[in-house]
Amino acid sequence: MNTPLMEQPIKTKTDKRQAILDTALALFVSQGFHGTSTASIAKQAGVATGTLFHHFPSKEALMECLFLNIKQEFANALLLNAHQGSKLKHNAKQLWQSALDWSLENPIKQLFFQQYSMSPMIAKNVRDQAMNSILGFISELIKQGKMMGLIAHYPVELMLENCHGQYLAATRFFIDNPHLGHNSQYRNASFELFWKAMQAD
């Protein structure tokens, strides 16, 4: 008696799109943007190349979508753990620690940020969207700190870029030194370095 073959689950459009994004993330990090072809992404994602182009008209569009999706996931994680207490520095520290936690829990996505956050592969308007729309609550925290006299009166857009650079520097350190990722002394020191760069004289 023949045993019927188990039916393979059929991928929905959403499943295929996510498979493409997940595969692109892994390949962009391991092989680089220029070293990764759309054909290799489609093959490893288990979809036809035409399916990839149905969802993303170009490799650049795929990269930008991936960047914005991960930025949104990052922002959601921070907001989930954000506290609106009366002490601005405490609120900022909570956000900083949540950001470090996210980077440790999502090492591949953090490596993607390290490689592409400041790369010409990501168009300026896309980076601006991520900074001003997705992470807009950080701008509000800076403005609040200025009004309270706790944060220096520098242009907000410049301060946002500085915040971003400080975060990338700290997470790069913890990626290179994973044994220190949960060391409170180093984590607190990374926040104090960040805060000193922001605070008013």
Side-chain angles (χ1 to χ4, degrees):
M1 181 176 178
N2 293 329
T3 304
L5 294 173
M6 291 182 65
E7 292 185 4
Q8 295 296 319
I10 298 172
K11 285 185 178 179
T12 66
K13 285 185 178 180
T14 303
D15 292 336
K16 289 178 181 179
R17 187 175 188 276
Q18 191 59 51
I20 292 166
L21 287 168
D22 291 343
T23 303
L25 170 64
L27 292 179
F28 287 154
V29 169
S30 64
Q31 299 180 8
F33 180 78
H34 293 297
T36 300
S37 67
T38 50
S40 65
I41 295 170
K43 183 178 180 180
Q44 290 202 32
V47 302
T49 304
T51 300
L52 184 151
F53 286 118
H54 171 74
H55 290 284
F56 306 101
S58 66
K59 188 167 67 167
E60 289 77 13
L62 172 54
M63 165 69 85
E64 290 175 355
C65 180
L66 185 62
F67 179 76
L68 290 174
N69 281 5
I70 296 175
K71 277 289 186 185
Q72 186 64 66
E73 180 185 326
F74 174 66
N76 291 345
L78 264 61
L79 285 170
L80 190 65
N81 296 296
H83 295 275
Q84 298 298 322
S86 58
K87 295 184 178 180
L88 184 79
K89 183 176 180 180
H90 176 74
N91 295 343
K93 186 173 184 178
Q94 290 295 107
L95 284 173
W96 182 263
Q97 296 292 354
S98 293
L100 293 183
D101 286 339
W102 185 90
S103 73
L104 294 170
E105 291 163 8
N106 298 276
I108 301 299
K109 292 174 182 176
Q110 187 56 45
L111 283 170
F112 176 82
F113 280 164
Q114 293 288 340
Q115 290 175 239
Y116 298 107
S117 284
M118 296 182 177
S119 167
M121 297 298 102
I122 307 294
K124 182 180 182 300
N125 66 304
V126 175
R127 284 186 277 116
D128 288 346
Q129 180 183 343
M131 193 66 76
N132 299 319
S133 300
I134 297 174
L135 295 173
F137 62 92
I138 296 178
S139 298
E140 294 307 311
L141 187 144
I142 291 172
K143 291 174 185 176
Q144 182 187 353
K146 286 184 176 184
M147 291 175 60
M148 297 169 68
L150 297 174
I151 289 181
H153 284 273
Y154 298 128
V156 172
E157 61 272 22
L158 184 59
M159 297 188 83
L160 281 172
E161 288 294 342
N162 182 70
C163 289
H164 189 220
Q166 292 270 70
Y167 170 71
L168 289 177
T171 51
R172 179 77 260 177
F173 175 83
F174 289 120
I175 287 171
D176 291 342
N177 300 276
H179 60 291
L180 297 175
H182 296 285
N183 184 303
S184 59
Q185 179 184 355
Y186 281 82
R187 286 175 63 118
N188 290 336
S190 73
F191 171 73
E192 290 299 329
L193 287 167
F194 162 76
W195 186 255
K196 287 180 187 300
M198 299 282 289
Q199 68 183 1
D201 293 333

